Amino acid sequence: MIYDFIIIGAGVAGCNCAYVLNKAGKKVAIVDKEGVAKGASGAAGAFLSPLPGKKNSYNSLVNKALHYSLDFYEKLIPQATTKKGVLRVADRNFNETKLKDETLGYEYKDAKHLQDVSNNFRNIEGYFYKDAAVVNPSEVCNKLIEGCNFYTQDVEALIFKDGLYNIGNLKAKNIILTQGVNNSLLNIPYINISPVFGLKIDVKSSTKIPFNIHKSISISANKQDGTISIGATRQNHFDEKLTCTTTCDKCQFHINNDEVDVKSLLNQANELIDLHDLEVVEIKKGARATIKSYFPVVGKIIDYETSIKKYPSIKNGTKIAADLLAYYPNLYTVNALGSRGFVFGPYLASILKEHILNEVAIPDDISLEKHFYKTARKNRT
Ligand SMILES: Cc1cc2nc3c(=O)[nH]c(=O)nc-3n(C[C@H](O)[C@H](O)[C@H](O)COP(=O)(O)OP(=O)(O)OC[C@H]3O[C@@H](n4cnc5c(N)ncnc54)[C@H](O)[C@@H]3O)c2cc1C
């Protein structure tokens, strides 16, 4: 069979792309060397939280994507979606001024109010946003690809011949790269992905948690299976030499620091709420794919060298219309979802689908063109 699309990478980015294209009547295959949701997506919280603060282009994108994804997951898989809101407690990054964001709408809850809800709350106060949830990442990803063919395969090269891509024995007219932090199958010199490692734990506790709580870490409300997610630590690695090719557990450079990291998460959780009869049932680690601007990237992949050869004046700042640039044939990507893959996934997949099937332009902030022009100007000699 010749597929319309092969998607490489079965994390939340790839699975959402598979879903929208399959719904649009396309024949879709999705391949992953590890399995479904085994990379960052399997390690995720996966909290869906608003980003408060004075309105800017990044938090506007996050909050738009949040509303889209909340609605989407509730309809797609209600049994894996727990939507009870989030209490945000001020910290260094999000002080009171940032949290009092009228545009998002919040309810201030003082310590007494919280103690009335549950006497397990510590002496904390915070801002409650009702539009927040937590989902089960693995259930979501598996549900999204129902109706598509999944193959476990480590793709080593993109071979394009006679108008078709050959991926092992599979053939397709179009490819979407959703590889997360892994080395891209293609050199895209204007997209510099760095891994931000993190750890998330699932615990059982007799304490009932009424809604998600977020300070420097996040604690979920009791999910539908009764467990509570607590995540996630961050360790930035903005080092060009460091690449990520596998999952943390298989990585030869991974230093197992679980005991210390879990203890730190639990200590931070304990400052917010008293968790009785605590039992850690699962520890997950992963690397989020991030670029410095924190915006995700979506769209058709520009061939950097050929475009520059065709229009050398781009390096001097001349803006050539995007449709005149040289693109790899039928090759797309969705990546750099950072710490918000489950928030961005459904929204970005729908943007890409509209772009491919209906030629709707990709918003500038998340387009590859933005990075292409910026890199070209930087490389001016
Ligand atoms: C600890 C932690 C906590 C997080 N918490 C949250 C949260 O609360 N909320 C939220 O929204 N986000 C959260 N995130 C971020 C979120 O998990 C990521 O943004 C998201 O999972 C990225 O999805 P992805 O599909 O781009 O990448 P991935 O999930 O990493 O998927 C990429 C896949 O591509 C496959 N692949 C790569 N190269 C090849 C190849 N050549 N051949 C075959 N397969 C290949 C990999 O095996 C991998 O499975 C968290 C992340 C971590 C690590």
Side-chain angles (χ1 to χ4, degrees):
M1 164 160 47
I2 295 175
Y3 288 99
D4 294 312
F5 289 87
I6 292 178
I7 296 165
I8 301 175
V12 72
C15 292
N16 269 293
C17 291
Y19 178 85
V20 285
L21 290 163
N22 181 45
K23 280 273 163 218
K26 301 295 170 193
K27 280 182 272 171
V28 181
I30 178 158
V31 300
D32 198 297
K33 59 191 167 89
E34 304 286 347
V36 180
K38 298 289 184 201
S41 299
F47 296 91
L48 311 176
S49 309
L51 186 55
K54 199 165 166 237
K55 205 169 171 185
N56 58 38
S57 52
Y58 183 67
N59 62 20
S60 299
L61 174 71
V62 170
N63 294 323
K64 202 168 176 183
L66 173 73
H67 285 106
Y68 188 92
S69 64
L70 282 172
D71 189 46
F72 176 80
Y73 294 124
E74 272 190 308
K75 286 190 185 130
L76 176 82
I77 186 160
Q79 69 277 20
T81 308
T82 306
K83 187 183 168 207
K84 294 192 174 162
V86 61
L87 179 81
R88 286 206 66 144
V89 180
D91 62 9
R92 254 183 316 163
N93 293 333
F94 278 90
N95 57 23
E96 309 258 327
T97 320
K98 267 193 180 172
L99 293 176
K100 286 182 192 167
D101 179 354
E102 294 296 347
T103 54
L104 286 179
Y106 64 86
E107 237 178 274
Y108 171 70
K109 307 233 184 238
D110 63 17
K112 177 169 179 326
H113 180 107
L114 292 172
Q115 294 278 334
D116 288 345
V117 174
S118 162
N119 58 14
N120 291 306
F121 274 111
R122 302 294 185 193
N123 188 19
I124 58 169
E125 55 184 12
Y127 296 80
F128 180 76
Y129 301 86
K130 70 175 175 27
D131 286 332
V134 59
V135 296
N136 179 311
S138 175
E139 276 185 53
V140 163
C141 288
N142 279 290
K143 177 77 185 169
L144 285 166
I145 61 167
E146 280 176 5
C148 305
N149 289 342
F150 174 76
Y151 300 90
T152 305
Q153 191 174 319
D154 186 353
V155 181
E156 285 175 359
L158 291 174
I159 299 164
F160 187 67
K161 213 174 135 204
D162 303 330
L164 290 177
Y165 282 97
N166 295 263
I167 304 296
N169 296 328
L170 308 173
K171 288 184 195 302
K173 295 175 197 155
N174 301 277
I175 297 285
I176 304 179
L177 298 178
T178 48
Q179 292 180 253
V181 286
N182 290 250
N183 260 346
S184 176
L185 282 161
L186 195 75
N187 177 26
I188 311 177
Y190 46 91
I191 303 292
N192 205 349
I193 302 264
S194 295
V196 176
F197 294 97
L199 171 125
K200 183 247 348 194
I201 56 176
D202 280 342
V203 302
K204 279 186 186 161
S205 163
S206 56
T207 300
K208 294 285 164 261
I209 306 195
F211 34 70
N212 299 347
I213 311 165
H214 182 88
K215 195 178 174 189
S216 47
I217 57 142
S218 297
I219 308 172
S220 77
N222 298 81
K223 294 180 288 177
Q224 300 194 15
D225 63 1
T227 62
I228 298 159
S229 289
I230 306 177
T233 48
R234 300 175 68 95
Q235 268 180 290
N236 289 43
H237 285 260
F238 283 117
D239 176 351
E240 280 172 31
K241 274 180 239 129
L242 188 119
T243 52
C244 201
T245 54
T246 182
T247 54
C248 295
D249 289 326
K250 292 183 187 166
C251 175
Q252 57 172 318
F253 301 110
H254 175 62
I255 300 165
N256 189 328
N257 205 24
D258 287 1
E259 209 176 306
V260 174
D261 288 346
V262 169
K263 205 165 160 197
S264 158
L265 275 182
L266 292 177
N267 283 343
Q268 292 176 73
N270 189 46
E271 286 170 13
L272 300 169
I273 195 160
D274 193 358
L275 294 170
H276 299 280
D277 311 312
L278 195 67
E279 184 194 344
V280 178
V281 288
E282 195 166 53
I283 301 172
K284 292 269 188 168
K285 287 163 278 192
R288 311 157 177 95
T290 309
I291 52 174
K292 275 193 176 152
S293 71
Y294 289 108
F295 280 90
V297 289
V298 180
K300 194 166 187 183
I301 305 180
I302 305 157
D303 177 340
Y304 183 85
E305 296 302 335
T306 310
S307 295
I308 295 291
K309 247 184 227 152
K310 221 167 137 190
Y311 302 108
S313 64
I314 292 176
K315 285 192 169 183
N316 301 324
T318 308
K319 269 259 168 115
I320 302 295
D323 57 350
L324 296 177
L325 298 175
Y327 290 82
Y328 292 99
N330 309 339
L331 188 58
Y332 304 87
T333 191
V334 179
N335 209 339
L337 276 55
S339 300
R340 296 178 182 270
F342 282 81
V343 177
F344 283 137
Y347 184 61
L348 300 182
S350 108
I351 287 177
L352 183 65
K353 180 206 79 176
E354 285 302 315
H355 179 65
I356 299 174
L357 303 185
N358 299 321
E359 292 177 27
V360 177
I362 305 274
D364 188 48
D365 276 338
I366 55 174
S367 73
L368 295 170
E369 284 76 12
K370 181 177 119 180
H371 295 278
F372 166 79
Y373 290 122
K374 200 171 159 199
T375 305
R377 285 196 300 273
K378 227 166 77 189
N379 288 348
R380 184 176 158 180
T381 43

